Amino acid sequence: MSKILVIAEHLNGKLNPSTARAISAALAVKPETIDVLVLADNTDAIAAEAAKINGVSTVLTIARTENAHPLAAVLAPQIAKAAIGYSHVFAPSTTFGKDVAPRVAALLGVAQVSDVMSVESSHTFKRPIYAGNAIITVEADTNHTVVATIRTASWPAATNGAGNAPVQALSLDVALPSHTRFVELQQGKSDRPDLQSAGKVVSGGRGVGSKENFEIIYKFADKIGAAVGASRAAVDAGYVPNELQVGQTGKIIAPELYMAIGISGAIQHLTGIKDAGTIVAINKDAEAPIFEIADIGLVGDLFKLIPELEQALT
Amino acid sequence: MKILVGYKRVVDYNVRIQVKPDGTGVVTDGVKLSANPFDDIALEEALRLREKGVAEEVIVVGIGPADLTAHLRNGLAMGANRAIHVVAAEAVQPLTAARILLKLVEKEQPGLVIVGKQAIDDDANQTGQMLAALWDRPQATFASKVEIADGIAKVTREVDAGLEVIEAELPAVITTDLRLNEPRFIKLPDIMKAKAKPIDTIELATLNVESNNHLQTTHYAAPPKRSKGIMVKDAAELVAALKQKGLL
């Protein structure tokens, strides 16, 4: 039987929703146990949140001052040691999971399955390659621990509320390196919904034209309660900060509604939104590739159409 | 110091790849191959560090079949001092690539290894992290800015929450994100000069790298197609369509 250790992602004392998505993938393996591992300087609040998620057997905590920031070089040796006895180690395929999981896999001497989009059996998974243009089925050796990152856009968050898992402090004797040090996190401040977990996302591209013009996107997003995203072109042009980028090299998202405004639809962008429920494209170029995958398309000038949309909503 | 740069050859990013109808792979015969875009950025960063006097030598490393030489010559033409070609008939998985790079690290003793954050063919995003783990050295992944002084790399990393700055004592492994730099174009005279630059050829078997077959790819499929969409004629019609779907 499988025993799965899920690595919790958190920031500012709060559990990241990506953790509950990784737990969904763990549930799909139908394991005997799913334990969640929380590494932080203060684990209490995070562990309490994780304990409520349905399906979690035990929340394991490692509270050390060295774990105050998610440095892979510091976390990986602890995770590798905690992983002994588990058949699987799962982490979300976010920048956190992508940074730390391969380091854990290498310490365990095993290969890693990146971006698991479906679980076929305990050791068989599907994952995308070539920017999502091919889906491969991979079989992991049953004699080794499976280390995998879970593609968050492919999994709903595990439900929460009914769970009441015990929290247990782990004490591991692991020497930690001091060769890597955290300096600072420059965080984009936003009251809008989180891009990766939002039900609706409004994205702007190069067609928006300037940083000032992007206000029209923010305003419209706020009107419909959506998160704001952007294409790489808009980020590179300096219209918006990089953490808003959607695509192969940015965030991969699966909202119920995705509205691409002034985005032509380069293959790398489409990779980030392929699993969205409904894709709406607004573009003045009727030949733009975005219309090939849009469920609803509207050709026209965004500066004329967005005010009209706002009007139609009231 | 020396900088080692991972330099993978992949199907060009502009190619729309096709999955073979029998599910055994993707069509690569006759398809344009290029340097992995993230590796071009890695090489560019190494060259800039050499130009600033931080490094003396930049070495590009490729793992692949005999005809990989032409690809490595591109790296030399871009400005690398020399190349190492690890000859492997089959594609290697990231853990094996990391183990190969570790052997080269032990031999060359670089102060820095720079690799792309991911290869655009397997999209694994693992090799740099795995090398750092096996080498027991710092990793600075998804780098968008690198400053090196007094044996420490100060690296700005692109993370989901924004930009994270960390310090890594050298030697270290850095993986590159898209915004780190704009790779230079190769000029014709440099292509001529590159022909005289050395390429060390090493057979994979002679490196005694532990083999790793923990993962087998059993099937390739095209992604499910989205059904054909509709076009609406104005804003009112769009809002009506979204309301009908319960999305607004």
Side-chain angles (χ1 to χ4, degrees):
Chain A
M1 278 299 278
S2 307
K3 291 182 69 176
I4 304 184
L5 186 65
V6 175
I7 313 306
E9 176 173 6
H10 55 85
L11 183 66
N12 302 329
K14 283 200 169 68
L15 195 66
N16 187 296
S18 62
T19 309
R21 292 173 186 264
I23 291 168
S24 270
L27 284 164
V29 176
K30 299 187 174 66
E32 192 183 341
T33 52
I34 299 173
D35 293 347
V36 175
L37 179 62
V38 179
L39 303 105
D41 50 348
N42 185 341
T43 55
D44 296 353
I46 305 156
E49 273 189 85
K52 287 191 200 127
I53 298 173
N54 300 338
V56 174
S57 315
T58 306
V59 178
L60 303 169
T61 61
I62 307 178
R64 290 181 72 154
T65 50
E66 295 94 327
N67 293 344
H69 303 289
L71 293 170
V74 171
L75 302 185
Q78 302 173 71
I79 298 168
K81 192 129 191 194
I84 293 167
Y86 288 92
S87 58
H88 300 65
V89 178
F90 282 5
S93 188
T94 53
T95 53
F96 164 75
K98 287 175 182 174
D99 188 37
V100 74
R103 192 157 182 133
V104 173
L107 292 178
L108 295 172
V110 300
Q112 178 189 290
V113 186
S114 294
D115 301 318
V116 168
M117 56 194 297
S118 85
V119 170
E120 306 296 302
S121 73
S122 69
H123 287 75
T124 308
F125 310 95
K126 284 188 178 170
R127 63 170 299 257
I129 58 170
Y130 288 101
N133 290 301
I135 310 297
I136 55 171
T137 306
V138 293
E139 272 181 38
D141 189 333
T142 50
N143 297 315
H144 291 94
T145 310
V146 176
V147 175
T149 60
I150 306 303
R151 186 173 182 268
T152 52
S154 300
W155 299 90
T159 52
N160 132 13
N164 186 20
V167 177
Q168 187 188 321
L170 266 192
S171 89
L172 300 174
D173 185 20
V174 186
L176 301 181
S178 58
H179 53 46
T180 312
R181 294 178 289 274
F182 174 85
V183 179
E184 62 171 330
L185 175 65
Q186 301 158 2
Q187 232 183 316
K189 288 180 187 63
S190 171
D191 299 329
R192 295 192 176 85
D194 174 58
L195 182 53
Q196 262 167 321
S197 50
K200 297 173 200 167
V201 174
V202 175
S203 269
R206 199 194 297 274
V208 179
S210 72
K211 190 174 177 176
E212 292 69 37
N213 285 354
F214 227 84
E215 279 305 317
I216 195 172
I217 302 288
Y218 288 120
K219 207 169 129 249
F220 179 62
D222 290 346
K223 180 133 193 155
I224 64 167
V228 173
S231 68
R232 185 184 165 205
V235 174
D236 283 351
Y239 302 169
V240 293
N242 67 287
E243 66 261 26
L244 297 192
Q245 186 184 322
V246 172
Q248 185 184 19
T249 57
K251 291 186 172 119
I252 293 171
I253 58 173
E256 288 163 50
L257 172 63
Y258 184 77
M259 298 185 71
I261 302 177
I263 293 177
S264 63
I267 195 163
Q268 290 81 5
H269 184 75
L270 302 184
T271 302
I273 59 165
K274 270 187 185 141
D275 296 326
T278 297
I279 298 174
V280 173
I282 297 177
N283 205 298
K284 64 181 177 193
D285 175 10
E287 303 298 317
I290 190 79
F291 288 117
E292 287 170 31
I293 67 152
D295 300 285
I296 307 175
L298 176 54
V299 177
D301 179 2
L302 69 98
F303 298 106
K304 182 173 160 285
L305 288 172
I306 293 179
E308 285 177 13
L309 282 170
E310 287 179 352
Q311 197 147 33
L313 280 166
T314 47
Chain B
M1 68 175 177
K2 290 182 197 175
I3 302 179
L4 219 59
V5 174
Y7 197 61
K8 187 177 182 180
R9 183 178 67 175
V10 297
V11 171
D12 188 85
Y13 73 98
N14 281 313
V15 173
R16 282 207 172 198
I17 63 116
Q18 300 291 328
V19 174
K20 290 178 186 167
D22 63 0
T24 57
V26 300
V27 179
T28 51
D29 290 344
V31 166
K32 187 186 175 197
L33 303 173
S34 304
N36 180 39
F38 294 101
D39 296 357
D40 266 339
I41 294 169
L43 177 52
E44 175 64 34
E45 196 64 19
L47 297 174
R48 290 183 189 190
L49 289 169
R50 192 185 63 195
E51 284 155 7
K52 283 182 197 156
V54 174
E56 292 84 47
E57 191 180 30
V58 174
I59 307 163
V60 284
V61 177
I63 304 168
D67 73 348
L68 197 70
T69 317
H71 163 69
L72 290 169
R73 290 268 173 228
N74 270 334
L76 294 172
M78 205 166 135
N81 300 77
R82 61 189 170 95
I84 300 175
H85 178 187
V86 177
V87 183
E90 304 282 323
V92 300
Q93 289 179 14
L95 182 59
T96 305
R99 285 172 172 162
I100 292 169
L101 288 172
L102 182 67
K103 295 279 184 187
L104 302 180
V105 159
E106 286 165 354
K107 185 162 169 264
E108 299 286 347
Q109 300 284 320
L112 195 59
V113 177
I114 312 181
V115 299
K117 76 165 178 182
Q118 74 193 68
I120 60 163
D121 51 2
D122 65 15
D123 280 334
N125 197 330
Q126 300 173 11
T127 304
Q129 294 90 314
M130 287 180 158
L131 170 64
L134 301 174
W135 190 12
D136 198 16
R137 293 306 307 167
Q139 69 188 46
T141 53
F142 325 139
S144 61
K145 191 177 174 195
V146 175
E147 295 165 295
I148 293 180
D150 306 323
I152 292 172
K154 190 175 177 188
V155 180
T156 304
R157 307 178 53 233
E158 298 208 3
V159 297
D160 291 335
L163 297 171
E164 185 195 68
V165 183
I166 63 168
E167 282 183 352
E169 288 174 11
L170 301 185
V173 178
I174 292 174
T175 81
T176 61
D177 217 317
L178 278 174
R179 266 171 289 280
L180 182 59
N181 62 46
E182 192 80 43
R184 65 196 65 187
F185 288 104
I186 295 170
K187 296 193 219 62
L188 187 62
D190 296 329
I191 295 173
M192 303 309 291
K193 268 188 257 172
K195 288 183 178 160
K197 291 183 178 177
I199 299 181
D200 292 340
T201 303
I202 303 173
E203 292 293 329
L204 176 54
T206 65
L207 284 176
N208 295 318
V209 170
E210 193 186 335
S211 72
N212 145 55
N213 296 312
H214 299 162
L215 289 181
Q216 304 290 343
T217 299
T218 53
H219 189 251
Y220 292 74
K225 275 206 163 56
R226 294 184 73 99
S227 52
K228 184 108 183 77
I230 56 158
M231 298 300 285
V232 292
K233 66 175 195 311
D234 58 25
E237 213 176 290
L238 174 57
V239 168
L242 291 176
K243 279 191 172 156
Q244 200 189 353
K245 284 174 168 250
L247 292 166
L248 284 178

